[in-house]
Amino acid sequence: MPKILILRFSSIGDIVLTTPVVRTLKTQLDEIELHYATKPQFANIVAQNPYIDKIYTLEPKKTNDLIKKLKQEKYDYVIDLHHNQRTYYIKWRLGVKSYAFPKLNWQKWFFVNFKKNYLPNVHIVDRYMQTVAPLGIKMDNLGLDFFIAEEDEFELQWLPEAYKKGFVVYALGGTHATKRLPLNRMIELCDKINKPIILLGGKEDYEIAQQLYDFFEKDQASDLDKAFEKLNKKARIFNLCGKLNLGQSASLVKQAQVVFTHDTGLMHIAAAFRKKIYSIWGSTSPHFGMYPYRTSFVVFENNQLSCRPCSKIGYAKCPKGHFKCMNEVVFDFWLP
């Protein structure tokens, strides 16, 4: 039985984007054993994937310990979907046939530093698929996968009454500040959405999410609710940032009417569930090839700036100080 190892150590969105490779390898090759190596904090993303037979985790500063375990498996192939110095070292130590996806680092560098876009118009998922093409694997056009554990399914009856007839998810997180809207623009966005909104993100997003909640919900008495109803103001905020695990958050994304999101992992989870996505881009750009995959989506970005993109991953603050990519982005949409 052929045995194949996939390497992708981080992060949430990137791992979700590897799922077509996982699925097509398992379904198109006869009787293979498929293993996946990642970091411990991301193992839960692939733990429910029925196409993966075994998971290995890379503990901090223990690369050699992982290699010792992997050597015992005697793999036939290694599929490197991370392609960095660590994975190069692991492949060298394992000494078996390997394939790595084209990372396009120099094209990204030119785009960020000189605003010259030499990147191919190819989604990163399709570049991942190029990695396994030598094995005869072809894209099956089924999109991304995300599997939710039964215990993580979020029941709608647990939500406040206003949300039981339908809600919008706003995934307001983002690893770097320049990938997130500032609070005043979040308020503007939620007011325009004008529907019950569930805020999703990590513990680090709770404070700003609570400020957003306070703006819309604080001290709203019943008579004020009636006044809002006359004005057709229906925006309500339910802050669940930092209160759910990833599977529970994904369950709410799956049940949402639409999803608004920054350039973050939940965007790709929403794509796995074929949700309509409104994606908001600041310092980064969808031209890097990580826009929502095989689902209906709208991009909000400010294309009138000579300084954008300023990074392929984002910064703690705007390098120019004006943050016009987010402060001046236009929210051009209407929800029925």
Side-chain angles (χ1 to χ4, degrees):
M1 177 184 293
K3 190 179 288 188
I4 298 176
L5 171 68
I6 294 177
L7 300 174
R8 180 71 224 193
F9 293 118
S10 64
S11 52
I12 294 173
D14 298 283
I15 292 170
V16 173
L17 291 169
T18 69
T19 55
V21 172
V22 171
R23 181 183 64 246
T24 53
L25 278 171
K26 192 66 172 180
T27 58
Q28 294 180 25
L29 293 180
D30 293 334
E31 297 184 351
I32 69 160
E33 187 173 340
L34 191 59
H35 295 186
Y36 199 110
T38 189
K39 290 182 179 179
Q41 62 267 39
F42 303 117
N44 63 324
I45 303 172
V46 292
Q48 301 301 318
N49 193 319
Y51 303 114
I52 296 174
D53 298 298
K54 194 171 185 178
I55 299 169
Y56 281 98
T57 56
L58 173 65
E59 302 292 338
K61 299 181 180 181
K62 291 188 177 181
T63 301
N64 287 325
D65 290 348
L66 174 62
I67 291 172
K68 289 179 183 178
K69 296 176 183 177
L70 297 178
K71 274 190 169 183
Q72 296 174 4
E73 297 286 357
K74 302 186 185 309
Y75 293 109
D76 295 283
Y77 301 102
V78 176
I79 308 301
D80 182 4
L81 301 182
H82 206 124
H83 200 178
N84 62 6
Q85 289 184 344
R86 178 185 283 125
T87 60
Y88 182 86
Y89 176 66
I90 291 172
K91 291 183 294 182
W92 176 69
R93 289 286 304 277
L94 292 180
V96 300
K97 182 69 176 177
S98 65
Y99 301 95
F101 90 107
K103 208 163 185 178
L104 307 180
N105 281 334
W106 77 263
Q107 293 94 329
K108 294 175 185 176
W109 186 85
F110 262 91
F111 193 22
V112 168
N113 290 279
F114 297 103
K115 309 306 181 264
K116 299 290 186 181
N117 186 5
Y118 298 112
L119 290 159
N121 187 21
V122 179
H123 198 283
I124 192 172
V125 171
D126 298 309
R127 288 197 278 122
Y128 283 157
M129 289 300 300
Q130 292 171 13
T131 311
V132 292
L135 299 178
I137 304 301
K138 297 180 180 180
M139 176 58 83
D140 58 10
N141 298 321
L142 295 179
L144 306 177
D145 288 324
F146 192 88
F147 300 94
I148 302 172
E150 184 178 354
E151 62 269 21
D152 288 338
E153 294 286 358
F154 198 103
E155 299 289 342
L156 292 183
Q157 64 186 20
W158 300 338
L159 295 174
E161 195 64 33
Y163 296 77
K164 293 179 180 178
K165 294 182 180 180
F167 59 88
V168 170
V169 156
Y170 176 20
L172 53 71
T175 309
H176 301 277
T178 55
K179 295 172 72 173
R180 304 189 299 264
L181 288 169
L183 178 60
N184 65 310
R185 298 307 315 276
M186 290 183 182
I187 290 171
E188 181 184 341
L189 175 64
C190 291
D191 186 59
K192 188 172 177 66
I193 292 172
N194 201 30
K195 289 179 179 291
I197 302 166
I198 293 179
L199 305 180
L200 294 180
K203 293 180 180 179
E204 66 279 5
D205 303 309
Y206 177 82
E207 184 176 343
I208 194 166
Q210 194 60 26
Q211 293 179 58
L212 196 54
Y213 169 85
D214 289 342
F215 180 88
F216 283 95
E217 301 289 336
K218 192 174 182 180
D219 299 327
Q220 286 193 5
S222 58
D223 57 341
L224 194 55
D225 283 337
K226 292 178 181 178
F228 276 177
E229 187 175 345
K230 288 182 179 180
L231 293 171
N232 196 32
K233 291 293 184 182
K234 299 175 182 177
R236 290 290 182 269
I237 303 295
F238 192 30
N239 179 15
L240 289 177
C241 290
K243 298 180 180 180
L244 306 176
N245 64 30
L246 185 62
Q248 292 165 336
S249 295
S251 180
L252 283 170
V253 167
K254 184 179 180 181
Q255 298 176 81
Q257 293 174 323
V258 297
V259 175
F260 286 77
T261 176
H262 302 146
D263 175 17
T264 188
L266 282 177
M267 177 177 73
H268 302 299
I269 291 174
F273 296 126
R274 318 298 193 271
K275 309 307 293 187
K276 175 66 176 286
I277 297 172
Y278 294 85
S279 61
I280 306 158
W281 299 78
S283 60
T284 58
S285 169
H287 288 294
F288 289 128
M290 298 184 71
Y291 46 88
Y293 189 70
R294 292 189 182 271
T295 195
S296 176
F297 69 95
V298 174
V299 168
F300 298 138
E301 60 178 337
N302 185 353
N303 283 322
Q304 307 304 311
L305 300 173
S306 61
C307 58
R308 182 176 173 271
C310 62
S311 170
K312 64 179 182 180
I313 58 174
Y315 290 112
K317 61 181 181 179
C318 172
K320 299 289 187 180
H322 53 63
F323 203 23
K324 288 183 178 181
C325 58
M326 285 301 199
N327 282 324
E328 296 182 0
V329 66
V330 176
F331 303 132
D332 185 14
F333 71 95
W334 178 82
L335 298 181

